[in-house]
């Protein structure tokens, strides 16, 4: 919403969700047409070895970078427990580096060692339940905190120049193409029709959750919104601290899904699709170790989401499923699926190129873990925010800490 403009952002969110729904169904249709059961084998059969290598790189990079972003989120959210009595804010055991390492060794590594993705079904259900709880907290704070945070002067413009970057972030949020065949194969009696019903229902639920999160978050913080929404809230807010904990648990439980894909890509490219018990463990530990080390060096989530969205998610959603279907399908060019595929190809290419350039030249703001200025109302005049940038309100000068509790 911050990058695109609030009204255009809502429209883009619906559009990206529709494209995601269409391309997920198209992907499985392509698999049925080619007689393949993995994304890599589909592209290999359609475009040969060069296409196979390109997809393998993308299909590895997207979940790998997602693993890094989940570690960043876990470090950001689970390290904000200074409100716990007796806990020193400088205590190394609540620092983001220790939290990332501890969550990796204790939770994400053991869960990622499973061989069957279906075993994560109950874990995913817990994650979904926590997401609903977090959404309730964000909605509550939109009501109680929103009126006390100054609004940026361009908060309600229809569109902003960085809309393409917003598409990249939305693509990151919706993409699940890299593990679609894994999930499809885990269904009882998998068919295209059954898959289509599942995807339609999942996308509808997901888009409304995204809209509620985006709307409540943006209405609260407008132009001050960070890549990680929880970085906007004040550290003395006990309810949000509980929400941070739930959010951290959610991403920890989501992490293994991405690790499954990275491991499958490595297995297909280097081991003929099968990993022995020893190599299964070795590959898993190596991938998670590298992702953890990188996440310890980066603390800005926004740029990670943007780059992963435009460089990896966009071709996996817009370009490759459409290209495969157009080459495999014998339907006439006027068929609705082919028309939509022809539209998605150039749009995906444009989002990739322009999104990457804009992400590099105009990256999102990042607080690097520092608390936002409106959490210190008495020091408002000392911030770098000018009167021309925000609408000063008389409320701000009398804001009391009680509004955060």
């Amino acid at each position: 919403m911050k990058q695109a403009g609030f009204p255009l952002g809502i429209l883009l969110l619906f559009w990206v969700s529709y494209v995601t729904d269409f391309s997920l169904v198209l992907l499985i249709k392509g698999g049925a047409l080619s007689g393949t059961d993995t994304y890599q084998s589909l592209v290999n059969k359609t475009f040969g070895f060069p296409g196979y290598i390109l997809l393998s790189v993308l299909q590895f990079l997207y979940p790998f970078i997602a693993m890094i972003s989940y570690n960043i989120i876990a470090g950001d959210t689970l390290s904000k427990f200074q409100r716990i009595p007796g806990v020193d804010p400088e205590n190394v055991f609540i620092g983001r580096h220790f939290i990332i390492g501890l969550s990796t060794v204790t939770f994400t590594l053991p869960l990622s060692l499973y061989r069957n993705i279906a075993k994560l079904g109950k874990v995913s259900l817990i994650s979904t339940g926590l997401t609903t709880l977090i959404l309730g907290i964000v909605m509550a704070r939109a009501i109680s905190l929103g009126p006390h945070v100054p609004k940026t002067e361009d908060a309600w413009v229809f569109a902003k120049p960085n809309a393409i970057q917003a598409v990249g972030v939305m693509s990151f949020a919706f993409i699940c193409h890299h593990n679609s065949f894994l999930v499809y194969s885990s269904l009882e009696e998998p068919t295209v029709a059954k898959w289509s019903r599942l995807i339609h229902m999942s996308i509808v639920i997901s888009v409304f959750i995204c809209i509620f999160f985006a709307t409540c978050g943006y209405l609260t913080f407008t132009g001050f919104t960070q890549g990680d929404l929880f970085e906007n809230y004040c550290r003395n807010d006990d309810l949000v601290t509980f929400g941070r904990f739930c959010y951290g648990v959610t991403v920890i439980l989501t992490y293994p899904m991405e690790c499954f894909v990275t491991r499958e890509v490595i297995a297909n490219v280097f081991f003929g699709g099968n990993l022995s018990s020893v190599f299964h463990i070795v590959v898993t530990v190596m991938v998670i170790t590298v992702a953890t080390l990188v996440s310890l060096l980066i603390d800005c989530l926004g740029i990670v989401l943007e780059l992963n969205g435009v460089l990896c998610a966009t071709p996996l959603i817009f370009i490759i499923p459409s290209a495969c279907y157009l080459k495999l399908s014998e339907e006439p060019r006027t068929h609705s699926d082919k028309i939509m595929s022809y539209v998605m190809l150039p749009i995906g290419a444009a989002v990739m190129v322009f999104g990457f350039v804009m992400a590099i030249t105009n990256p999102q703001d990042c607080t690097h873990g520092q608390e936002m200025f409106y959490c210190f109302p008495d020091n408002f005049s000392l911030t770098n925010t000018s009167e021309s940038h925000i609408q000063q309100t008389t409320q701000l000068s009398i804001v009391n800490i009680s509004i955060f509790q």
Side-chain angles (χ1 to χ4, degrees):
M1 302 301 106
K2 174 185 175 182
Q3 300 286 64
F6 184 67
L8 180 60
I10 295 293
L11 296 176
L12 286 175
L13 201 52
F14 276 111
W15 178 72
V16 171
S17 67
Y18 172 76
V19 170
T20 302
D21 182 285
F22 174 80
S23 62
L24 283 169
V25 176
L26 203 65
L27 194 62
I28 299 302
K29 285 183 178 179
L33 289 172
S34 62
T36 56
D37 58 0
T38 68
Y39 203 164
Q40 289 167 291
S41 58
L42 166 63
V43 175
N44 189 25
K45 191 163 185 176
T46 308
F47 295 105
F49 187 70
Y52 172 79
I53 293 299
L54 176 61
L55 177 75
S56 296
V57 171
L58 292 173
Q59 203 173 8
F60 176 84
L61 283 178
Y62 172 79
F64 181 75
I65 299 175
M67 290 164 65
I68 294 172
S69 69
Y70 292 157
N71 275 338
I72 294 173
I73 292 171
D76 286 345
T77 55
L78 298 179
S79 61
K80 304 294 193 301
F81 291 115
Q82 290 90 337
R83 294 280 287 174
I84 299 177
V87 175
D88 184 352
E90 302 300 323
N91 193 318
V92 68
F93 294 112
I94 61 169
R96 65 181 300 273
H97 293 83
F98 179 80
I99 292 295
I100 291 173
L102 180 65
S103 63
T104 298
V105 173
T106 308
F107 297 105
T108 55
L109 178 58
L111 288 172
S112 298
L113 287 172
Y114 279 119
R115 281 183 172 271
N116 186 356
I117 200 170
K119 292 185 178 180
L120 295 176
K122 293 182 180 179
V123 172
S124 298
L125 182 62
I126 294 172
S127 179
T128 304
L130 289 175
T131 299
T132 305
L133 180 61
I134 297 164
L135 178 58
I137 293 173
V138 171
M139 294 174 69
R141 280 298 176 257
I143 298 172
S144 62
L145 176 60
H148 303 285
V149 178
K151 310 305 178 189
T152 51
E153 62 182 9
D154 61 347
W156 314 117
V157 299
F158 179 81
K160 295 181 182 179
N162 299 333
I164 291 181
Q165 291 171 265
V167 173
V169 175
M170 293 173 188
S171 298
F172 177 94
F174 278 94
I175 185 174
C176 51
H177 299 60
H178 54 298
N179 53 27
S180 293
F181 282 99
L182 283 172
V183 177
Y184 178 74
S185 63
S186 72
L187 298 176
E188 294 182 6
E189 301 178 3
T191 63
V192 173
K194 189 174 184 179
W195 174 256
S196 299
R197 291 193 299 270
L198 173 66
I199 290 303
H200 297 333
M201 179 178 65
S202 300
I203 291 295
V204 167
I205 294 172
S206 297
V207 71
F208 279 104
I209 289 176
C210 283
I211 284 176
F212 281 124
F213 264 117
T215 301
C216 293
Y218 186 79
L219 291 180
T220 306
F221 304 110
T222 60
F224 302 116
T225 306
Q226 298 295 301
D228 181 350
L229 182 61
F230 273 112
E231 288 293 281
N232 279 98
Y233 295 99
C234 302
R235 297 183 184 182
N236 58 7
D237 189 329
D238 295 333
L239 179 62
V240 171
T241 297
F242 175 68
R244 288 189 179 104
F245 173 78
C246 294
Y247 187 33
V249 172
T250 298
V251 297
I252 288 173
L253 297 180
T254 307
Y255 185 104
M257 290 282 287
E258 309 300 346
C259 187
F260 264 73
V261 180
T262 59
R263 188 173 58 227
E264 184 197 35
V265 172
I266 292 174
N268 290 337
V269 173
F270 297 105
F271 298 93
N274 295 307
L275 288 173
S276 66
S277 297
V278 173
F279 277 106
H280 173 84
I281 295 173
V282 170
V283 170
T284 303
V285 171
M286 288 181 62
V287 170
I288 290 179
T289 299
V290 175
T292 301
L293 291 176
V294 174
S295 61
L296 293 175
L297 302 175
I298 302 173
D299 63 354
C300 288
L301 183 64
I303 187 65
V304 176
L305 299 183
E306 285 185 14
L307 290 177
N308 204 15
V310 297
L311 293 180
C312 300
T314 299
L316 290 172
I317 293 177
F318 291 81
I319 299 175
I320 297 177
S322 300
C324 288
Y325 183 78
L326 289 173
K327 190 167 183 179
L328 293 169
S329 177
E330 296 180 356
E331 298 286 353
R333 291 187 177 183
T334 55
H335 190 274
S336 59
D337 285 348
K338 281 203 168 183
I339 293 175
M340 184 64 181
S341 298
Y342 281 121
V343 172
M344 286 169 57
L345 277 172
I347 292 178
V351 170
M352 272 190 70
V353 175
F354 292 107
F356 174 73
V357 172
M358 295 184 71
I360 296 299
T361 59
N362 189 25
Q364 289 192 35
D365 297 332
C366 182
T367 63
H368 299 285
Q370 299 300 313
E371 199 154 15
M372 299 296 288
F373 69 90
Y374 45 75
C375 296
F376 307 99
D378 293 337
N379 295 328
F380 177 69
S381 61
L382 300 179
T383 67
N384 294 326
T385 308
S386 64
E387 288 188 16
S388 63
H389 187 56
I390 64 172
Q391 299 172 354
Q392 300 235 21
T393 64
T394 55
Q395 288 178 311
L396 189 61
S397 61
I398 60 172
V399 169
N400 189 280
I401 285 299
S402 61
I403 70 169
F404 300 120
Q405 298 178 339

